[in-house]
């Protein structure tokens, strides 16, 4: 299985010539290559994690692709056939088994609504919590997508999250709101947290891949 990081919150997971997209949103370069796509996971409704245009581009190239997301996305993306998933659900599509964790987005501010959010565990190995610090209890995480920059994020909380998950490997995600200096600073902190349980940090840039 191969993981490729795209800009900001988006990932591509490839196995057996099939593709799974995660959170292709407004900060991610337009998806132009989606042949073999069998599924798209959208963790929540904010536009930096999905747009109608991105979903349409994938659907054009892969008409049988399935979309999985919480209820908030289904409500927002009414023009698409969304399979609603919740905490505790598990589905298999193509070579990918998806387990979903959590219910809500991290709090940004008391004045803003807390939207639905699900984290996803892919093939029992790769975990991405979306915009949350939901820990997949009872799971031995191989690769963690660790957020390093967001309106809801304080780096100390992100470090505690990595310490709680204790992945064997981690890489940075949700970084497009940061300067180069901010990315380096956040990455250094996530690296430290990953190493506390003997793990290894990979400073992936958009387009970089990791074999899982």
């Amino acid at each position: 299985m191969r993981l490729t990081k795209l800009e900001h919150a988006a990932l591509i997971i490839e196995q057996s010539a099939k593709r799974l997209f995660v959170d292709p949103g407004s900060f991610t370069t337009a998806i132009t290559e989606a042949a073999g796509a069998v599924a798209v996971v959208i963790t929540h409704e904010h536009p930096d994690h999905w747009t109608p245009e991105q979903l349409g581009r994938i659907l054009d190239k892969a008409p049988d692709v399935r979309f999985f997301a919480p209820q908030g996305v289904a409500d927002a993306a009414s023009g698409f056939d969304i399979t609603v998933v919740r905490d505790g659900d598990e589905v298999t599509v193509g070579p990918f088994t998806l387990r979903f964790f959590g219910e809500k987005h991290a709090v940004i501010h008391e004045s803003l609504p807390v939207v639905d959010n699900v984290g996803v565990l892919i093939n029992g190995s790769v975990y991405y919590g979306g915009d949350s610090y939901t820990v997949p209890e009872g799971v031995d995480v191989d690769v963690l997508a660790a957020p390093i920059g967001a309106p809801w994020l304080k780096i100390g909380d992100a470090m505690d999250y990595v310490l709680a998950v204790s992945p064997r490997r981690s890489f940075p995600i949700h970084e497009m709101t940061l300067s180069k200096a901010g990315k380096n600073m956040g990455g250094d902190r996530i690296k430290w947290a990953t190493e506390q349980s003997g793990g290894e940090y990979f400073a992936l840039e958009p387009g970089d891949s990791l074999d899982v």
Side-chain angles (χ1 to χ4, degrees):
M1 188 164 69
R2 169 160 285 196
L3 177 158
T4 300
K5 175 182 165 44
L6 304 181
E7 295 91 349
H8 197 54
L11 305 173
I12 303 174
I13 309 293
E14 297 174 274
Q15 183 166 308
S16 303
K18 302 299 183 182
R19 287 178 171 171
L20 165 70
F21 286 85
V22 180
D23 282 1
S26 59
F27 294 163
T28 302
T29 298
I31 303 296
T32 58
E33 182 52 68
V38 295
V40 179
V41 171
I42 306 163
T43 61
H44 65 282
E45 65 199 70
H46 291 158
D48 57 326
H49 291 254
W50 83 282
T51 67
E53 294 80 10
Q54 294 281 42
L55 300 193
R57 292 179 187 111
I58 296 170
L59 193 59
D60 285 345
K61 301 290 186 180
D64 296 325
V65 70
R66 297 180 64 190
F67 299 109
F68 299 94
Q71 186 64 53
V73 175
D75 294 341
S78 58
F80 296 89
D81 183 10
I82 306 291
T83 298
V84 173
V85 289
R86 300 174 177 84
D87 181 49
D89 287 350
E90 180 174 318
V91 298
T92 298
V93 55
F96 305 108
T97 297
L98 311 173
R99 290 177 60 192
F100 297 94
F101 294 84
E103 298 178 346
K104 294 297 180 181
H105 190 287
V107 173
I108 301 172
H109 186 264
E110 62 182 11
S111 66
L112 298 173
V114 179
V115 302
D116 296 336
N117 182 98
V118 291
V120 61
L121 179 71
I122 303 163
N123 286 353
S125 178
V126 176
Y127 182 68
Y128 174 42
D131 282 10
S132 81
Y133 295 125
T134 299
V135 175
E137 298 293 346
V139 175
D140 185 14
V141 174
D142 180 14
V143 179
L144 175 67
I148 61 171
W152 49 271
L153 185 147
K154 183 175 76 173
I155 196 61
D157 293 339
M159 293 166 69
D160 285 341
Y161 170 63
V162 175
L163 291 169
V165 176
S166 299
R168 283 189 286 275
R169 292 180 281 178
S170 71
F171 68 93
I173 201 164
H174 215 282
E175 81 290 351
M176 290 293 281
T177 60
L178 299 177
S179 66
K180 181 177 179 181
K183 287 170 62 176
N184 290 340
M185 184 181 298
D188 286 345
R189 301 284 70 78
I190 298 304
K191 179 177 185 290
W192 176 89
T194 304
E195 290 173 346
Q196 299 316 293
S197 56
E200 185 176 2
Y201 174 76
F202 293 82
L204 301 185
E205 294 288 341
D208 289 348
S209 297
L210 191 64
D211 288 327
V212 181

